[in-house]
């Protein structure tokens, strides 16, 4: 007989147990979302279907594991901040080089620059829906830096389109880097302590 567990507790269904793992996933997601939780692992007969990106047709045992929105948001932030650790220094080095190396070299490094910016942009994007839903005390500060970051990224793209190293240098040094610093400070001093307090200091 098939068994289903959610966070190590067996799930008892009224009526027949769904025969397809995808249907079980839909039902668990719906029930857990009402509790402010998200499924982060969905192990079907020993294989995580979320990691694999597909569900099998049948199963004997399903184990689902969830996190609260607070826990998941904190985990995302802490993971992203690890990768952002050296980014500020890398940006400063990049800014120093913009006006001293050929534009063709600056342009060639555009993909590298974007790859450094992307985790920062993703972090703000991922935090936006949480802030709108739960209205934490730092919501307005977050929205302000997210707006500035978006505007700055747009100017950075324009500088590349125009082949304008002076504009790129100014945008990075005058606006983007200060926003980056303020955002990291906001996370360290307000966002992370707030979420750690809500999750009991775990993570």
């Amino acid at each position: 007989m098939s068994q289903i567990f959610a966070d190590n507790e067996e799930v008892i269904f009224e009526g027949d147990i769904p025969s397809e793992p995808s249907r079980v996933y839909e039902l668990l997601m719906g029930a857990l979302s009402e509790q402010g939780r998200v499924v982060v692992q969905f192990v079907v007969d020993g294989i995580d279907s979320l990691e694999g990106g597909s569900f099998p047709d049948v199963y004997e045992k399903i184990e689902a594991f969830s996190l609260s929105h607070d826990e998941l948001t904190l985990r995302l932030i802490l993971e992203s901040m690890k990768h952002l650790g050296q980014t500020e220094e890398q940006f400063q080095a990049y800014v120093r080089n913009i006006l001293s190396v050929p534009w063709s070299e600056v342009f060639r490094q555009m993909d590298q620059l974007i790859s450094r910016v992307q985790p920062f942009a993703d972090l703000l994007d991922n935090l936006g829906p949480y802030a709108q839903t739960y209205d934490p005390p730092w919501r307005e500060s977050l929205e302000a830096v997210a707006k500035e970051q978006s505007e700055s990224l747009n100017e950075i793209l324009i500088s590349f389109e125009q082949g304008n190293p002076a504009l790129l240098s100014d945008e990075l040094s005058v606006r983007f880097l200060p926003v980056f610093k303020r955002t990291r400070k906001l996370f360290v001093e307000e966002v992370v302590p707030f979420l750690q307090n809500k999750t009991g200091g775990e993570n």
Side-chain angles (χ1 to χ4, degrees):
M1 182 177 175
S2 300
Q3 288 183 299
I4 301 167
F5 294 85
D7 295 323
N8 298 314
E9 291 189 11
E10 187 167 6
V11 178
I12 307 300
F13 287 87
E14 294 181 4
D16 295 335
I17 298 176
S19 59
E20 297 179 355
S22 58
R23 179 59 182 154
V24 174
Y25 177 74
E26 289 173 8
L27 292 172
L28 288 179
M29 277 288 287
L32 288 166
S33 67
E34 292 177 3
Q35 303 169 29
R37 303 186 69 83
V38 179
V39 176
V40 292
Q41 280 187 296
F42 191 77
V43 182
V44 182
D45 297 330
I47 299 173
D48 189 347
S49 292
L50 298 184
E51 194 174 87
S54 63
F55 296 101
D57 295 327
V58 295
Y59 68 94
E60 291 183 10
K61 182 180 181 181
I62 289 176
E63 296 171 283
F65 300 93
S66 69
L67 290 174
S68 70
H69 291 162
D70 297 322
E71 292 168 326
L72 181 60
T73 301
L74 178 59
R75 180 178 289 190
L76 286 171
I77 290 171
L78 293 177
E79 190 61 34
S80 296
M81 288 185 71
K82 285 180 193 174
H83 299 298
L84 292 175
Q86 302 301 317
T87 302
E88 186 177 323
E89 292 80 2
Q90 292 171 339
F91 271 123
Q92 289 171 338
Y94 187 84
V95 170
R96 286 194 297 270
N97 289 332
I98 288 172
L99 299 179
S100 61
V101 301
W103 176 249
S104 59
E105 178 64 17
V106 174
F107 192 80
R108 189 182 69 77
Q109 293 178 8
M110 183 170 113
D111 286 342
Q112 190 177 10
L113 175 65
I114 290 172
S115 71
R116 289 172 182 167
V117 172
Q118 197 61 52
F120 178 55
D122 289 345
L123 184 54
L124 291 177
D125 287 345
N126 288 330
L127 203 49
Y130 176 93
Q132 290 172 5
T133 302
Y134 295 103
D135 195 22
W138 37 263
R139 174 180 172 177
E140 288 186 9
S141 298
L142 177 77
E143 290 175 346
V145 293
K147 182 174 184 291
E148 280 191 71
Q149 179 246 202
S150 177
E151 292 171 350
S152 184
L153 287 179
N154 187 55
E155 287 299 312
I156 289 170
L157 290 175
I158 289 172
S159 70
F160 276 116
E161 290 170 359
Q162 294 178 350
N164 189 333
L167 176 61
L168 178 61
S169 177
D170 285 348
E171 189 58 42
L172 283 171
S173 59
V174 174
R175 185 152 61 156
F176 186 82
L177 273 170
V179 170
F180 184 86
K181 291 175 183 178
R182 287 204 309 277
T183 304
R184 287 190 68 191
K185 187 171 185 283
L186 176 66
F187 287 148
V188 170
E189 295 183 359
E190 297 187 49
V191 179
V192 169
F194 172 86
L195 291 169
Q196 286 176 330
N197 184 58
K198 290 201 72 176
T199 59
E202 296 179 3
N203 296 291

